[in-house]
């Protein structure tokens, strides 16, 4: 499965951005999906995940209440809506597909190329 993330860019603190992750094959519904991010100088970490059916999602404490993960299996796409952005949200965001719903990278076999989100203060 090839994943293509898009929607990154420059946002302002307190503002919103949305990310999309499209799969190359119409098999996205067979995978659990996750978003991870890697900030400059830091290791990649978990952001959010969603089950095959679309719920209930899991979030990192740092984004809970601000970010929303969703999926549209008919469109073979997963989304990450990011609200109340903070400069600390600046990172390269990766979508990933796996078979086990978890927060660790080891559960995800397929990865997108990453999309950069920069939040200015």
């Amino acid at each position: 499965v090839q994943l293509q993330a898009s929607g990154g860019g420059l946002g302002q603190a307190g503002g919103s951005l949305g990310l999309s992750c499209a799969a190359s094959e119409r098999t996205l519904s067979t995978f659990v999906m996750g978003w991870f991010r890697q900030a400059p100088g830091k290791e990649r970490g978990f952001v959010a995940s969603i089950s095959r059916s679309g719920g209930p999602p899991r979030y990192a404490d740092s984004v809970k209440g601000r970010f929303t993960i969703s999926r549209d299996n008919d469109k073979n796409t997963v989304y990450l809506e990011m609200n109340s952005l903070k400069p600390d949200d600046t990172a390269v965001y990766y979508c990933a597909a796996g078979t086990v719903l978890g927060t660790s990278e080891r559960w995800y076999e397929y990865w997108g190329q990453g999309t950069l989100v920069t939040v200015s203060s």
Side-chain angles (χ1 to χ4, degrees):
V1 176
Q2 291 185 335
L3 303 174
Q4 180 73 39
S6 61
L10 179 63
Q12 291 188 333
S16 300
L17 283 174
L19 304 181
S20 299
C21 176
S24 60
E25 303 172 12
R26 295 191 62 80
T27 59
L28 196 67
S29 60
T30 65
F31 294 99
V32 300
M33 298 297 298
W35 285 97
F36 292 77
R37 68 185 181 184
Q38 186 169 20
K42 296 185 178 180
E43 294 186 352
R44 188 161 58 186
F46 171 77
V47 175
S49 63
I50 191 167
S51 67
R52 294 173 181 81
S53 62
R58 299 179 66 177
Y59 297 97
D61 288 342
S62 59
V63 306
K64 199 173 294 182
R66 301 188 298 119
F67 289 13
T68 301
I69 186 173
S70 61
R71 65 190 299 162
D72 187 333
N73 288 335
D74 289 338
K75 294 183 178 180
N76 240 25
T77 303
V78 175
Y79 306 94
L80 185 69
E81 179 182 351
M82 304 182 293
N83 299 314
S84 301
L85 286 167
K86 302 176 180 180
D88 284 349
D89 295 322
T90 295
V92 176
Y93 284 72
Y94 299 88
C95 60
T99 54
V100 176
L101 187 63
T103 62
S104 173
E105 289 189 26
R106 68 178 182 268
W107 301 120
Y108 296 86
E109 295 100 313
Y110 304 99
W111 292 81
Q113 85 287 3
T115 183
L116 177 63
V117 171
T118 303
V119 182
S120 63
S121 58

